[in-house]
Amino acid sequence: MAVTNSEIAAIFSRIGDLLEIQGENPFRVRAYRNAARMVRGLSRSLAEMVEQGEVLEALPTIGKDLAAKIREIVATGSLRKLTELETTVSPGLVDLLQVPGLGPKRLKILRDYLNIHDVGELEKAARQGLVHQLPGFGVKTEQNILRELSELQQRIRRYLWADVEEIAEQLLAYLRKQPGVKKVEMAGSYRRRRETVGDLDILVSAAKSAKVTDAFTAFEAVERVISKGHTRSTVVLRTGLQVDLRVVPQVSFGAAWHYFTGSKAHNIAVRVMGVQRGLKVNEYGIFDKQGKRIAGRTEKEIYAQMGLQWMEPELREKRGELEAAATGRLPKLIVAADLRGDLHCHTTRSDGQDSLEAMAKAARALGHDYLAITEHSQHLGIARGLDPDELLAHCDAIDELNDRLAGIRLLKGLEADILEDGSLDMPDHVLQRLDICLGAIHSAFGLSEKKQTERVIRAMDNPHFNILAHPTARLIGKRPACRLD
Ligand code: DGT
Ligand code: CA
Ligand code: CA
């Protein structure tokens, strides 16, 4: 079973973090982070490229050194360089780097003055009021740290859905080809397609449960087996992701699939509906007063007993889906084929990863009718944002490509920074040339709700403004939403 791209990316980002804490040269730190980003965005499997002997150095951001590291990870599943670094930097410090506002510089001060090495020690010191006395810290910073820490505890050890997709699919394919296996399905938050997942939940029905469990615990990416039993086993993968496997009889499969898909709140509401009908609902099926199983083989049967239509897992969050199903008003989910175009993208002209032409052709290949090219504006220096002259030149390039390329309409756009005073980071006479203008917040995330709201409303008052991009500026698992009414 091959090492996934997201595993490789995770190793590179972690090295970036560890080097940063050690006070390494920022260029080296950035090299690892850029490589991690590139690998995450790559559509081909690196493991496959290595197997086929392809030249990894041809990839952007990958030099000789990183190419060798990728080969090492593909061959061994780990990287000696990372193992070495992990012995010199305490893992608690790496967690601390995730606290917004705590860069390596501040971490060094915390470590040197207060001997702080992990989240617990920092929380204690902040509560005792020791942190605000340090150089470069104030009472407000101390309060912010305490707030961020409590949010961090909740975020810790959750994975982005997209980061686990590849391994989840590999694991499903692996289990499905084991002898005697009848059905294998993913349940839990992964099946509900939440933004993040805490762990994976897999359901299996098989002739002999011991055989599946053996295969499961022997899966190549498993690092440690937490428990192994007849009906339930739990493992931890190399990435730290936990996976629960349950083996259930086929007559119960639908009931178990419904139960372990959740959400818990949805399950409880369904169970209550059952009680109202004199039925017992659990992961084995639906049972009448005499204890006779009247449903359980499929999810459809389970819902039908409650007088409900079957519903997509994405809807099962107890947000009114049961009421909607009872009256036949379930929403139809939007799927990729419904998308007609994309109104926000970058090219290599700012911080995207492909050229204008490659982006246009990719959008056309997806069957889109239009694509808005929305580079950053100059205020966002790290993203190589465009100044007015550069934007006008870029508009010419877009016009030129539009003339040349059939089957896709490119829109001239911009992702303009909303500056702290609410003005847009581009003069009106330049905005006038555009088909579409997005405004976005990339700085001063911590303003009060009142100030932040005023800032955004002011930006929207600009007659050229069309769309508020990433409205709360949150980064899932990394940066909280800014306060905005
Ligand atoms: P996660 O793993 O934190 O991203 O979220 P889930 O939803 O995958 O939760 P997990 O893995 O703890 O459990 C999987 C499903 O099992 C959950 O969505 C609903 C069901 N479940 C777990 N515990 C309970 C419970 O106490 N009562 C009921 N009714 N269902 C439960
Ligand atoms: Ca789960
Ligand atoms: Ca679980």
Side-chain angles (χ1 to χ4, degrees):
M1 206 56 52
V3 171
T4 66
N5 285 358
S6 65
E7 275 181 85
I8 296 171
I11 289 176
F12 285 166
S13 333
R14 194 164 167 84
I15 291 184
D17 290 346
L18 294 172
L19 290 177
E20 187 168 22
I21 294 173
Q22 283 196 325
E24 263 282 351
N25 179 339
F27 288 102
R28 282 198 64 206
V29 173
R30 207 169 310 145
Y32 279 104
R33 293 203 172 134
N34 288 343
R37 225 175 82 128
M38 191 282 296
V39 169
R40 259 196 203 101
L42 207 61
S43 51
R44 298 194 46 206
S45 151
L46 278 170
E48 240 174 70
M49 292 178 71
V50 168
E51 257 165 46
Q52 288 165 10
E54 288 183 41
V55 185
L56 301 177
E57 286 88 339
L59 293 167
T61 76
I62 301 299
K64 229 187 170 139
D65 175 59
L66 287 175
K69 290 199 163 70
I70 291 173
R71 282 186 218 105
E72 183 185 334
I73 298 171
V74 169
T76 67
S78 60
L79 190 65
R80 271 166 311 165
K81 167 97 185 165
L82 178 61
T83 326
E84 280 164 32
L85 274 171
E86 278 174 336
T87 57
T88 55
V89 181
S90 75
L93 280 174
V94 181
D95 288 342
L96 281 175
L97 206 56
Q98 292 182 39
V99 180
L102 279 191
K105 246 190 234 131
R106 282 191 160 157
L107 278 186
K108 188 168 169 358
I109 293 173
L110 288 168
R111 197 172 26 168
D112 293 351
Y113 284 79
L114 298 173
N115 199 27
I116 285 169
H117 287 90
D118 63 36
V119 173
E121 287 168 2
L122 177 61
E123 190 172 2
K124 198 165 148 217
R127 287 204 190 290
Q128 290 172 342
L130 297 172
V131 172
H132 74 262
Q133 302 170 27
L134 296 174
F137 291 76
V139 175
K140 233 178 125 189
T141 316
E142 188 174 75
Q143 284 165 355
N144 283 343
I145 287 176
L146 278 171
R147 201 189 61 225
E148 300 290 359
L149 280 180
S150 76
E151 285 177 15
L152 182 70
Q153 316 278 25
Q154 294 165 15
R155 290 205 298 266
I156 256 173
R157 304 222 66 74
R158 291 194 71 82
Y159 295 74
L160 283 181
W161 190 97
D163 279 348
V164 301
E165 181 186 14
E166 202 179 344
I167 197 75
E169 294 303 323
Q170 280 186 12
L171 192 44
L172 282 181
Y174 167 84
L175 289 171
R176 281 183 180 139
K177 64 171 201 246
Q178 300 304 318
V181 164
K182 293 187 187 118
K183 210 166 156 57
V184 183
E185 296 292 350
M186 207 51 93
S189 52
Y190 181 84
R191 184 173 177 227
R192 301 199 315 282
R193 295 186 176 245
R194 297 305 310 255
E195 293 165 344
T196 63
V197 304
D199 68 1
L200 292 179
D201 304 278
I202 300 179
L203 232 54
V204 175
S205 87
K208 289 204 174 71
S209 78
K211 283 237 168 88
V212 196
T213 319
D214 284 346
F216 175 61
T217 52
F219 181 61
E220 205 261 338
V222 168
E223 185 171 88
R224 167 159 79 81
V225 176
I226 290 185
S227 66
K228 188 174 169 182
H230 267 308
T231 57
R232 187 180 167 167
S233 304
T234 298
V235 301
V236 175
L237 305 181
R238 285 193 298 256
T239 51
L241 179 67
Q242 186 177 307
V243 188
D244 289 339
L245 179 100
R246 292 182 185 80
V247 186
V248 300
Q250 273 200 305
V251 284
S252 298
F253 198 90
W257 203 16
H258 178 259
Y259 181 90
F260 290 111
T261 293
S263 65
K264 191 171 160 182
H266 172 93
N267 286 353
I268 292 169
V270 170
R271 186 176 305 170
V272 168
M273 290 179 84
V275 171
Q276 286 161 353
R277 286 158 196 255
L279 302 171
K280 195 171 120 191
V281 182
N282 59 31
E283 61 266 50
Y284 304 103
I286 297 186
F287 301 87
D288 66 12
K289 287 229 167 63
Q290 286 72 46
K292 185 170 161 259
R293 188 200 314 262
I294 57 171
R297 200 171 277 275
T298 66
E299 282 193 334
K300 210 169 158 206
E301 283 177 20
I302 303 291
Y303 284 114
Q305 282 298 328
M306 304 297 145
L308 303 174
Q309 292 170 267
W310 179 88
M311 68 183 80
E312 302 280 359
E314 287 91 328
L315 295 172
R316 305 182 193 172
E317 302 290 347
K318 197 169 179 336
R319 284 179 306 209
E321 71 276 15
L322 295 166
E323 294 77 0
T327 50
R329 286 183 295 111
L330 281 173
K332 197 171 156 282
L333 299 190
I334 293 168
V335 297
D338 294 327
L339 299 181
R340 292 195 45 209
D342 190 333
L343 291 173
H344 191 159
C345 85
H346 300 281
T347 75
T348 42
R349 190 62 195 79
S350 65
D351 67 347
Q353 298 190 44
D354 266 304
S355 69
L356 190 58
E357 184 155 351
M359 288 298 287
K361 287 181 172 162
R364 189 173 63 182
L366 285 170
H368 289 183
D369 299 333
Y370 57 84
L371 174 67
I373 307 294
T374 55
E375 311 292 2
H376 286 289
S377 60
Q378 61 187 336
H379 186 252
L380 206 59
I382 53 160
R384 303 195 299 128
L386 275 54
D387 70 20
D389 287 341
E390 289 169 332
L391 179 59
L392 288 171
H394 201 42
C395 284
D396 291 339
I398 295 168
D399 280 341
E400 188 267 324
L401 188 58
N402 255 335
D403 288 343
R404 212 152 39 81
L405 216 57
I408 181 94
R409 166 93 196 275
L410 299 176
L411 302 176
K412 298 186 286 285
L414 176 71
E415 179 183 0
D417 253 54
I418 298 176
L419 303 178
E420 196 167 339
D421 67 359
S423 58
L424 295 178
D425 183 27
M426 190 61 66
D428 283 356
H429 72 273
V430 181
L431 291 179
Q432 205 156 9
R433 168 102 194 265
L434 302 177
D435 299 311
I436 187 166
C437 172
L438 322 188
I441 291 176
H442 294 117
S443 60
F445 303 109
L447 295 183
S448 68
E449 181 175 299
K450 185 164 177 288
K451 282 209 170 121
Q452 198 70 276
T453 305
E454 281 168 5
R455 173 192 191 184
V456 169
I457 287 175
R458 188 151 173 242
M460 291 173 138
D461 280 342
N462 183 309
H464 299 292
F465 181 105
N466 298 121
I467 297 177
L468 180 61
H470 50 75
T472 67
R474 84 189 166 125
L475 291 176
I476 300 169
K478 285 199 182 127
R479 186 169 68 207
C482 59
R483 283 162 291 170
L484 200 58
D485 180 345

